[in-house]
Amino acid sequence: MKRVLAFLMMAIVALGLFTACGSSEKPKEQAAAGNLKGMVATDGSTSMAKVIGALGESFTTKNPQVTFAYNPTGSGSGITAVNEGRCDIGLASRALKEKEKAGGLQETVLAYDGIAIVVNPGNGVQNLTLEQLADIYTGKITDWQELGGKAGEIVLIGREAGSGTRDGFESITKSKDQCRYRQELTSTGDVIANVAQNQNAIGYASLSAVSDNVKAVQINGVTPSESTIKDGSYAVQRPFMLITKQGVKLNPVAQAFFDYITSSRVADIISQAGVVPAN
């Protein structure tokens, strides 16, 4: 009888050890197993809508008890939101400025996005140099005829102050605070829609947002695509950033989401959203 009891005790201890080992999952493994509960809130770049939406959907499919929220307010607002603690992760389609880093923020590259230069499909211009693009937006070139197109005053469309897309475009073309916009719009979709309706218009937008109702022109003879962004040959590109606060831990759900979307496991999802994964 004593031997039977001893055997039973050993079996119980062994089972306990096995169970303990099986439950010692890392946060990433727990996320994949669907054990998370709670909410993750993101705020910022409208250009990142497609990629962050796809990643949020994938994450909540794996974790059905998690709620994912995305507030498309623009890069500047997203950076402010995370700094003020109004969201878990800020989204910016530009790098942080030195003063923002000095203020306690940090950035992590999620992906790289090409900024497509779009014109109306009826516009005959196919290619622009980076210098011509700068001259167009600073008012040195004002008519499409100067570029080999049909005569017509060039209508300059861009994003509002604080937009990451605008900051990226003006930084790359070295035209910051010099652009002579006819319209300054608050979303990528608005830029696309307005260019589509005006044969003399030109605008810039995230490559992932380009649709059939506009035409992306070549820059320096290079067509914007995932491959030309990845190899660096397409000149007008910028990073998609995740913004967090230095020294401040994310809540477990937000941390699991952050770990998931910055892993190589989601590379296909990011690519399908039209941008180039950083990992």
Side-chain angles (χ1 to χ4, degrees):
M1 184 66 179
K2 289 182 180 180
R3 289 183 180 180
V4 172
L5 288 173
F7 175 79
L8 288 174
M9 288 296 293
M10 290 174 65
I12 291 170
V13 170
L15 180 60
L17 288 172
F18 176 80
T19 303
C21 291
S23 63
S24 60
E25 294 179 298
K26 297 178 181 179
K28 291 181 183 179
E29 294 168 338
Q30 290 176 335
N35 296 329
L36 290 172
K37 297 179 183 179
M39 178 177 178
V40 55
T42 63
D43 190 307
S45 172
T46 62
S47 298
M48 293 176 68
K50 189 173 182 179
V51 66
I52 202 67
L55 291 169
E57 181 179 0
S58 174
F59 187 73
T60 53
T61 297
K62 295 178 181 295
N63 300 278
Q65 297 183 84
V66 170
T67 300
F68 171 76
Y70 161 55
N71 191 17
T73 60
S75 297
S77 295
I79 290 169
T80 299
V82 73
N83 194 41
E84 295 179 350
R86 292 186 282 108
C87 70
D88 298 307
I89 301 168
L91 308 172
S93 49
R94 65 168 174 82
L96 285 175
K97 299 173 182 177
E98 288 305 316
K99 64 179 180 180
E100 292 167 338
K101 293 180 182 179
L105 296 178
Q106 60 188 9
E107 62 190 29
T108 302
V109 181
L110 174 69
Y112 295 95
D113 176 53
I115 300 175
I117 309 306
V118 295
V119 297
N120 186 279
N123 192 318
V125 174
Q126 303 291 334
N127 178 63
L128 295 169
T129 67
L130 202 59
E131 291 75 16
Q132 286 174 328
L133 188 58
D135 287 346
I136 290 169
Y137 270 87
T138 56
K140 294 178 182 178
I141 296 176
T142 59
D143 196 290
W144 285 111
Q145 195 170 26
E146 298 176 65
L147 300 163
K150 294 180 181 178
E153 182 185 359
I154 301 174
V155 177
L156 302 178
I157 295 177
R159 290 292 304 279
E160 81 287 3
S163 160
T165 310
R166 173 170 169 167
D167 183 84
F169 172 81
E170 293 185 353
S171 296
I172 293 165
T173 57
K174 299 179 181 178
S175 60
K176 197 164 184 64
D177 300 324
Q178 301 175 59
C179 293
R180 300 183 178 183
Y181 297 108
R182 176 79 62 85
Q183 292 177 281
E184 298 180 45
L185 305 174
T186 58
S187 76
T188 298
D190 287 341
V191 171
I192 297 290
N194 278 268
V195 171
Q197 294 168 10
N198 190 331
Q199 190 160 332
N200 289 323
I202 185 171
Y204 50 79
S206 171
L207 177 61
S208 61
V210 175
S211 56
D212 292 338
N213 57 348
V214 293
K215 179 178 70 176
V217 300
Q218 295 180 334
I219 300 298
N220 296 336
V222 180
T223 301
S225 68
E226 181 173 339
S227 61
T228 58
I229 292 167
K230 196 166 187 176
D231 67 21
S233 60
Y234 182 71
V236 192
Q237 61 171 285
R238 43 70 188 275
F240 276 174
M241 297 290 195
L242 304 175
I243 310 301
T244 52
K245 297 188 78 170
Q246 298 175 20
V248 177
K249 288 186 177 181
L250 294 171
N251 68 62
V253 175
Q255 185 63 59
F257 177 70
F258 184 94
D259 292 340
Y260 177 69
I261 66 176
T262 55
S263 71
S264 58
R265 291 179 293 163
V266 298
D268 286 346
I269 297 172
I270 292 174
S271 294
Q272 287 168 14
V275 291
V276 180
N279 296 315

